[in-house]
Amino acid sequence: MTSFARSFWALAVTVALTTINPVQAQFVKAPTDLKRVVGHYNIPVRYKEVPTGICELDPHVKSYSGYADVGEKEHIFFWFFESRDIDPKDAPLTVWINGGPGSSSMIGLFEELGPCRVDPDGRVYSNPYSWSNVSNMLFIDQPSQVGFSYSEPVPGIKSDAGIVVLPDAVCPEYASEGSCGTYAYPNLTLTANSTPNAAPNFWKTLQGFMGAFPQYSRHGFHFATESYGGHYGPIFNEYIEEQNAHLPQGAIKINLETVLIGNGWYDPFYQYQAYYNFSVYPGNTYDYAPFDEANASMFFNNLYGKGNCLDRLRDCQNTGNNAICSNADSFCAYMVESVYDDVLGRDEYDVRELVPDPFPYGFYTSYLNTAEVQSAIGAFTNFSSNGAVGAAFDSTGDDGREIGTLSALRSLVQRGVTVGLYAGDADYNCNWIGNEVIADRVGAPGFSKAGYRDVKTSDAVVHGQVKQAGKFSFTRIYESGHEVPFYQPLASLEYFERAIHGLDIETGRHKVGYSYRTEGPARSTYREGNSTVQFEITPANLTYDVITNKPGAPWPSATMAKRSFRDQRARRRRPRARPFRFR
Ligand SMILES: *[C@@H]1O[C@H](CO)[C@@H](O)[C@H](O)[C@H]1NC(C)=O
Ligand SMILES: *[C@@H]1O[C@H](CO)[C@@H](O)[C@H](O)[C@H]1NC(C)=O
Ligand SMILES: *[C@@H]1O[C@H](CO)[C@@H](O)[C@H](O)[C@H]1NC(C)=O
Ligand SMILES: *[C@@H]1O[C@H](CO)[C@@H](O)[C@H](O)[C@H]1NC(C)=O
Ligand SMILES: *[C@@H]1O[C@H](CO)[C@@H](O)[C@H](O)[C@H]1NC(C)=O
Ligand SMILES: *[C@@H]1O[C@H](CO)[C@@H](O)[C@H](O)[C@H]1NC(C)=O
Ligand SMILES: *[C@@H]1O[C@H](CO)[C@@H](O)[C@H](O)[C@H]1NC(C)=O
C-alpha cells in the first residue's frame, strides 16, 4: 500500500468516527457571478471583472479573471490586466506562463512581473516595473490542475502524500489549521502528460480569451515564459504557427511576433552537463567553487561514466521509450543535479543564497487563500500546487527529452518571429552556461559571428550582456537568480519593451533587420566575484535590495516579527519533495 493510500484510509476511518465540528469556511464557495460567453473555436469562457485593489491598485486599469473551459473537466484559469501606460485598445497582448511542469503563473504575476506584490501583512503594493506598463498581460495557469485551474473541485486535506478527499465537505477537528480546502481532483488523465500534449489546450485557451476579449487582442501577440517554458515556449508557439497555417473552422489566426524565454530548460543532454560546468569547470562567475577534487570527479563520473546520465539520455533519445526516458531523467536529477543541493545547502535557483532562501517573496500564497480574494477572482479552488501534473509529465520522461525544442526555435526564427533567450547568471537550475550552449545550437543565421555587448538601460548600470543576430538574441543578466524580473526589475522591463517592439536589445534605439548583428567578444567574461554571496542563512524578515543585489532592510511589518523559519519553509514556491522537480 502506498503511503498515500495508507493515510487516505487512516483519515477516512477517523472522519467516520469523530464527532465533527464543521468548519465549512475553509472550503471555497463556488462563484455564482461569472459571465458566460463563447469564444473563438466554440470555447466557453466564464469570467468576471476583478475589483480594484485585489492586485491592480489603479481604478482606471481594468483586470479580468476566469476560466476557459477547454474540456469537459479541464478548466484553465486566466487573469488579465490592461496595460497601464498605453491605451489597452492599442496595446499589444502578452501571455506569461510559468514552468514546472506544474508551476502556477501566479508565481510570475506576484513574484516577478505582474502589477502587484504582497507584503508579509497580506497587503498589496504596486510593482512599478510591471510588464503591464507597456503591454496588456494575460497570465494562464496551465495545464489543467495547475494553480487555480481544475478538473473537478473537491473538498479535501492536503498532506505530503497528496490530497485526501473529504466526501462530506467537513473539516475534521484534528486537521491542522488552514489545511482543509477545495482542490482540483488530482486525476492524471485530466491534464497533459507531455509538452506536445499540453499545446492544444493552451491554444484553445487563447482562442477562448481572444473571442471573449476581442478589444484586447487586435494587435500583435507576444509570449513570455521561464524555466520549463524552455519546453513549453518553442513547442506551443510552433503549434500556434501550424494552426495558423491550417486554421480549423471557428478559430482565428494568432499574430505571433515574439517569444521570450528566461532561464529555460530546453535540452537535458546539454543542460545536465551544464550543472558540472557551472559548479566545477569552467565554473560560475561568483568565484564560488565549492567542490573538492573527490566530489568533482564523482560529479564528472555520474555524468560521463559508462551507463550513467549521458548514456541514459542517449538511450532515451534513441528509443523514445517512456520508461527509459523517465528513469534516465530521475538518474540525472538525483546523481547530477542534486549533488549541489545535497552537499551545499544552497538555493538551486540563486546560488548566492543558502536555503531556506526568503527570496523571491512568497507571501501572496496566503493572500490567494483568503475567501475575499478567491471570490474577487471567481476561483473554484484554493491556490495550491498539484502533484498530478508533475506525475503525469514524469510518466513520459518529458523533462529528460529534447522533445523538438531546438528545431521549433529554429523554425520560429525562420518565420521571422523575434526570439529572445535570457538567463540570470546566479541560477544553477537552468544556468546561463547551459542556456548559452542552447542559444548557439539554435543556429540562427549570423549568430555564430555575433559578439557580446553591454546592455544599456536608463539607470546607466550595466545589468548584463547581449549577443544578437537579426531578431534572435541571447542575454546574460548579472546578479540575478532564476526569476529574473524579481532580481533585475528595471532591466527586465526595458528588455521586454525592446523585444516586443522589435528593437535591438543592446540600446532599444534601432529597429532590428535581418542583417543586424552585435559586434564584440565571443564570450561574456564579466565576473561578479563573491561580494553578494551569502555564507549565512538570510533571515526571513529581510527584503531584497535590487540596488546592492543583496539582502536589504527588514520589512516594516508587525506580522514578520512573529514569523518563524517554519513559515518560511512552508511557503517555498517550488516544493522540493522528491520525486518531482520543478523548473
Ligand atoms: C482555502 O481557502 C479558504 C477560504 O476560502 C481558507 O479559509 C482556507 O484556509 C484555505 N485552505 C488552505 C489549505 O489554504
Ligand atoms: C509604470 O506605470 C505606473 C503607473 O502609470 C507608473 O507610476 C510607473 O512609474 C511606471 N513605471 C515605470 C518604470 O515607468
Ligand atoms: C479520471 O478522469 C477520467 C475521465 O473523466 C475518468 O474516466 C476516471 O474515472 C477518473 N479517474 C478517477 C480515479 O477518478
Ligand atoms: C563542460 O564540461 C565539459 C567537461 O569538462 C567540457 O568538455 C565542456 O567543454 C564544458 N562546456 C562548457 C560550455 O564549458
Ligand atoms: C565532498 O564529499 C565528502 C563526502 O564524500 C564530504 O564529506 C565533503 O564535505 C564534500 N566536500 C565538498 C563540498 O566538496
Ligand atoms: C571570495 O573571493 C575571493 C577572491 O576570489 C577569495 O579570496 C575569498 O576566499 C572568497 N571568499 C569566500 C568566503 O569564499
Ligand atoms: C529579524 O530576524 C532576525 C533573526 O531571525 C532577528 O534577530 C531580528 O531581530 C529581526 N529583526 C526585526 C526588525 O524584526
Side-chain angles (χ1 to χ4, degrees):
M1 204 189 241
T2 64
S3 66
F4 175 81
R6 210 166 25 243
S7 48
F8 179 87
W9 288 113
L11 284 171
V13 169
T14 328
V15 168
L17 297 181
T18 336
T19 344
I20 292 147
N21 173 23
V23 196
Q24 302 285 3
Q26 303 211 15
F27 303 104
V28 178
K29 268 206 209 109
T32 53
D33 58 349
L34 299 186
K35 289 199 182 78
R36 288 168 181 272
V37 293
V38 176
H40 298 306
Y41 198 59
N42 276 327
I43 303 294
V45 174
R46 295 168 292 150
Y47 72 92
K48 64 180 293 184
E49 186 172 339
V50 179
T52 300
I54 289 300
C55 178
E56 177 56 69
L57 297 164
D58 183 338
H60 301 109
V61 179
K62 286 191 176 140
S63 153
Y64 298 91
S65 61
Y67 294 90
D69 300 323
V70 298
E72 200 201 329
K73 291 181 180 163
E74 294 186 83
H75 310 287
I76 305 291
F77 178 75
F78 64 83
W79 194 340
F80 170 83
F81 297 89
E82 282 187 351
S83 168
R84 284 169 164 174
D85 295 348
I86 300 177
D87 183 337
K89 286 168 197 65
D90 299 327
L93 175 66
T94 302
V95 163
W96 170 271
I97 58 170
N98 280 87
S103 294
S104 166
S105 299
M106 300 304 105
I107 294 172
L109 203 174
F110 287 96
E111 296 185 12
E112 304 184 61
L113 53 109
C116 71
R117 301 254 167 98
V118 177
D119 78 9
D121 299 324
R123 280 184 303 241
V124 165
Y125 61 99
S126 176
N127 170 18
Y129 299 103
S130 175
W131 289 10
S132 65
N133 271 35
V134 298
S135 175
N136 291 325
M137 291 297 303
L138 177 61
F139 298 84
I140 295 174
D141 270 346
Q142 67 80 49
S144 168
Q145 302 178 43
V146 167
F148 286 115
S149 293
Y150 65 96
S151 47
E152 286 176 276
V154 291
I157 296 188
K158 190 150 197 178
S159 74
D160 288 345
I163 289 158
V164 179
V165 179
L166 298 165
D168 297 326
V170 181
C171 190
E173 261 173 7
Y174 62 79
S176 55
E177 202 193 314
S179 62
C180 286
T182 305
Y183 300 101
Y185 185 73
N187 183 333
L188 263 55
T189 66
L190 293 174
T191 185
N193 64 3
S194 72
T195 302
N197 286 354
N201 279 349
F202 177 73
W203 177 83
K204 286 182 195 171
T205 304
L206 297 181
Q207 293 292 331
F209 178 86
M210 290 178 168
F213 296 96
Q215 69 273 34
Y216 300 130
S217 314
R218 279 204 288 263
H219 303 281
F221 175 77
H222 308 274
F223 175 97
T225 184
E226 79 189 7
S227 203
Y228 210 76
H231 269 48
Y232 292 153
I235 302 296
F236 288 8
N237 287 292
E238 189 56 14
Y239 183 82
I240 288 175
E241 293 287 15
E242 283 160 12
Q243 293 293 92
N244 281 348
H246 306 279
L247 214 56
Q249 208 177 355
I252 56 148
K253 242 186 199 176
I254 296 173
N255 181 15
L256 175 67
E257 292 183 1
T258 308
V259 174
L260 302 177
I261 306 174
N263 292 80
W265 182 253
Y266 307 91
D267 184 343
F269 189 81
Y270 294 98
Q271 295 188 261
Y272 275 118
Q273 294 181 68
Y275 290 129
Y276 175 84
N277 295 127
F278 190 85
S279 325
V280 182
Y281 172 81
N284 54 70
T285 51
Y286 293 87
D287 295 342
Y288 183 62
F291 291 116
D292 59 20
E293 215 163 283
N295 284 304
S297 71
M298 174 189 73
F299 208 144
F300 187 89
N301 182 56
N302 290 354
L303 258 176
Y304 298 102
K306 196 164 160 34
N308 290 347
C309 175
L310 291 192
D311 276 355
R312 286 166 189 252
L313 291 174
R314 279 189 201 101
D315 275 357
C316 160
Q317 206 68 13
N318 293 340
T319 61
N321 176 284
N322 285 352
I324 291 176
C325 289
S326 181
N327 290 336
D329 193 52
S330 300
F331 181 95
C332 297
Y334 283 93
M335 305 301 285
V336 178
E337 179 181 352
S338 346
V339 170
Y340 208 80
D341 313 60
D342 298 346
V343 178
L344 305 175
R346 282 205 170 261
D347 184 357
E348 253 199 52
Y349 303 96
D350 180 357
V351 302
R352 300 168 304 166
E353 294 286 331
L354 295 165
V355 288
D357 178 358
F359 313 128
Y361 319 127
F363 309 114
Y364 68 97
T365 58
S366 313
Y367 178 74
L368 292 177
N369 275 321
T370 59
E372 186 204 353
V373 176
Q374 288 158 358
S375 122
I377 62 176
F380 277 76
T381 64
N382 279 80
F383 179 70
S384 74
S385 54
N386 178 318
V389 177
F393 274 68
D394 209 44
S395 72
T396 65
D398 198 76
D399 189 271
R401 294 174 189 257
E402 191 267 341
I403 213 98
T405 47
L406 289 191
S407 62
L409 285 174
R410 211 165 288 137
S411 168
L412 292 168
V413 170
Q414 275 159 11
R415 293 176 192 276
V417 173
T418 293
V419 175
L421 314 186
Y422 64 92
D425 71 4
D427 177 33
Y428 165 87
N429 188 279
C430 300
N431 67 58
W432 82 279
I433 296 180
N435 274 232
E436 189 188 42
V437 170
I438 300 299
D440 287 339
R441 296 190 66 82
V442 169
F447 190 71
S448 64
K449 298 202 182 71
Y452 280 103
R453 309 283 294 184
D454 286 351
V455 176
K456 292 167 191 74
T457 42
S458 63
D459 58 354
V461 174
V462 178
H463 293 289
Q465 291 195 319
V466 61
K467 194 192 263 198
Q468 179 163 7
K471 294 177 168 184
F472 179 81
S473 62
F474 172 72
T475 306
R476 170 189 167 196
I477 307 288
Y478 304 154
E479 297 284 5
S480 175
H482 192 71
E483 297 173 47
V484 175
F486 173 82
Y487 299 98
Q488 296 298 344
L490 180 142
S492 295
L493 176 57
E494 292 184 14
Y495 169 88
F496 172 65
E497 192 173 12
R498 289 170 194 185
I500 63 173
H501 290 117
L503 303 175
D504 68 309
I505 301 297
E506 181 196 353
T507 67
R509 291 217 193 97
H510 313 289
K511 200 88 184 167
V512 161
Y514 183 77
S515 62
Y516 175 83
R517 195 194 291 169
T518 50
E519 276 172 28
R523 301 262 75 95
S524 175
T525 54
Y526 173 74
R527 301 184 71 79
E528 287 88 345
N530 58 22
S531 68
T532 56
V533 176
Q534 305 303 307
F535 294 94
E536 274 168 39
I537 291 173
T538 299
N541 57 10
L542 298 189
T543 57
Y544 184 80
D545 186 330
V546 298
I547 306 297
T548 62
N549 303 305
K550 285 198 246 195
W555 286 98
S557 153
T559 314
M560 206 66 212
K562 289 186 249 139
R563 267 180 196 270
S564 67
F565 283 118
R566 201 184 64 79
D567 297 325
Q568 193 179 29
R569 270 199 304 276
R571 63 187 171 70
R572 281 190 64 78
R573 66 210 177 273
R574 295 179 208 78
R576 303 308 310 279
R578 301 294 171 193
F580 311 123
R581 276 148 299 98
F582 289 79
R583 303 193 196 277

